[in-house]
Amino acid sequence: MATSAKLDLDRGMVITGKWRRRRYRVERMLGEGANGKVYLVQQEGRLLALKVGLDTADLQSEINVLKALEKQQPRGGGASPYLVDVDDLKLVSGKEYPFYVMRYVRGAKLPAFLAASGDEWFPLAGYNLLLRLAELHASGWAFGDLKVDNVLAAEYGRVELIDYGGVTAFGKGIRQFTEIYDRGYWNAGTRSSDAGYDLFSFAVLCVQLFAEKELYRITSGTLPQNRSAGDVLKLAQDAPQLRPFSGWLARALAGGFADAAEASHAWKAVMHRVSRPAKPVPWWTKALFLAAAAGLAASAFWLGGGLG
């Protein structure tokens, strides 16, 4: 099998799909992973993200997920499509590779977003991330490789998942995972795909945002057989930003939610409870209204990735 290093596409190169004959001009590489690379491309003045893969069957699983999410979007809502194009490209070497094109997002990783916007945006960003997971869970998939690197945030706390290479149908073994976010790593469950797997990873992600050094200190200083979800929860209880959500995080770490839809409702309830009563309209209420008004699904986000 070819390696991802052989998939280099130079800036300015024009790609023409073998079957649909659509043309894309390469601007730069956005990221790469085990199963391919993602490039920023331009087509007739609009920017898109193109993922070129190593294996058709491997890439097809990601395409199937994006197609299913597309079907969930309300018709006539003006939402930008998850999937723009699917085709093959042929390099001058004669080798052919599958690719698909998706929408593109200008966003930042969560730590950078919170550093620029303030930690007060964390509850709303967390809520929006849970809504994204809920879309997947409703279709019978777990995201699998949920981690800081696979989440982008933008204005009004909008959040998108990237890199769908780890998405796994419920009941099967998780395709891709990162150890520190894996409940098996913490002796807290199996690596079988279910909603609880993603919510466990979500809880670890929250802790990493505000107690990263302490989290990695535990992983490096504790024997594998002695790791537990309790270690993660203790860090959440010690972090001022997470303390109001410690009950929610305890439930997520214990597998206490049926899916992300239930978890998002519980998260929102915490947001209501911890809002300051002295303010006639809590800051996050305004932000939530603005996010809804702008239309989360219609934002210029790109999905798919391959940045793992």
Side-chain angles (χ1 to χ4, degrees):
M1 180 178 290
T3 63
S4 61
K6 296 179 181 179
L7 288 174
D8 288 334
L9 304 180
D10 297 328
R11 181 186 178 92
M13 178 186 293
V14 176
I15 293 171
T16 302
K18 178 179 178 181
W19 307 108
R20 305 186 68 177
R21 309 306 297 172
R22 293 181 178 177
R23 294 162 61 86
Y24 304 94
R25 183 182 185 274
V26 178
E27 298 295 323
R28 61 184 171 88
M29 188 172 77
L30 293 171
E32 62 181 306
N35 64 342
K37 295 185 177 182
V38 179
Y39 292 87
L40 177 65
V41 298
Q42 186 176 144
Q43 184 202 45
E44 299 178 353
R46 63 172 176 167
L47 293 176
L48 300 164
L50 181 149
K51 179 167 184 179
V52 55
L54 300 169
D55 179 80
T56 301
D58 198 24
L59 211 63
Q60 187 62 46
S61 65
E62 298 179 35
I63 293 169
N64 291 341
V65 172
L66 297 177
K67 285 182 176 178
L69 291 175
E70 190 99 34
K71 291 180 180 178
Q72 290 181 212
Q73 293 193 111
R75 293 184 179 180
S80 57
Y82 285 91
L83 195 62
V84 176
D85 192 14
V86 179
D87 211 325
D88 297 322
L89 68 87
K90 187 174 183 178
L91 301 181
V92 292
S93 64
K95 290 187 176 180
E96 294 186 4
Y97 297 97
F99 73 84
Y100 65 85
V101 181
M102 50 209 156
R103 60 197 188 190
Y104 168 73
V105 59
R106 290 178 177 87
K109 300 290 176 62
L110 272 173
F113 169 77
L114 294 176
S117 304
D119 290 347
E120 63 268 23
W121 284 94
F122 162 71
L124 183 57
Y127 175 67
N128 287 333
L129 177 52
L130 288 169
L131 293 182
R132 287 290 174 249
L133 291 174
E135 292 178 352
L136 277 170
H137 295 171
S139 293
W141 285 299
F143 187 74
D145 198 13
L146 183 64
K147 57 183 177 181
V148 167
D149 287 343
N150 286 344
V151 180
L152 293 183
E155 70 279 4
Y156 304 126
R158 295 174 182 158
V159 171
E160 274 295 356
L161 294 164
I162 61 174
D163 191 355
Y164 279 66
V167 172
T168 308
F170 283 171
K172 296 186 177 181
I174 292 292
R175 287 161 46 100
Q176 296 177 20
F177 64 89
T178 302
E179 277 193 338
I180 198 170
Y181 299 90
D182 172 51
R183 67 184 175 193
Y185 178 84
W186 294 98
N187 300 304
T190 69
R191 292 193 179 112
S192 178
S193 174
D194 55 39
Y197 189 91
D198 281 343
L199 295 172
F200 186 97
S201 300
F202 177 97
V204 177
L205 182 151
C206 292
V207 171
Q208 185 182 3
L209 287 173
F210 300 109
E212 185 173 25
K213 290 182 180 179
E214 294 82 355
L215 183 63
Y216 282 105
R217 189 177 299 125
I218 289 176
T219 64
S220 62
T222 306
L223 292 174
Q225 62 269 29
N226 293 335
R227 298 190 197 108
S228 72
D231 298 325
V232 181
L233 180 59
K234 178 62 166 59
L235 295 181
Q237 293 169 335
D238 291 342
Q241 302 92 331
L242 296 178
R243 203 167 294 138
F245 292 89
S246 61
W248 188 100
L249 293 168
R251 188 174 170 186
L253 290 168
F257 293 110
D259 53 29
E262 180 185 0
S264 67
H265 290 311
W267 184 274
K268 191 174 183 179
V270 178
M271 291 172 64
H272 279 285
R273 191 167 62 247
V274 301
S275 61
R276 298 178 182 178
K279 294 184 178 181
V281 181
W283 68 268
W284 61 262
T285 301
K286 294 180 180 179
L288 191 60
F289 171 78
L290 289 171
L296 293 177
S299 58
F301 284 113
W302 66 273
L303 300 179
L307 310 183

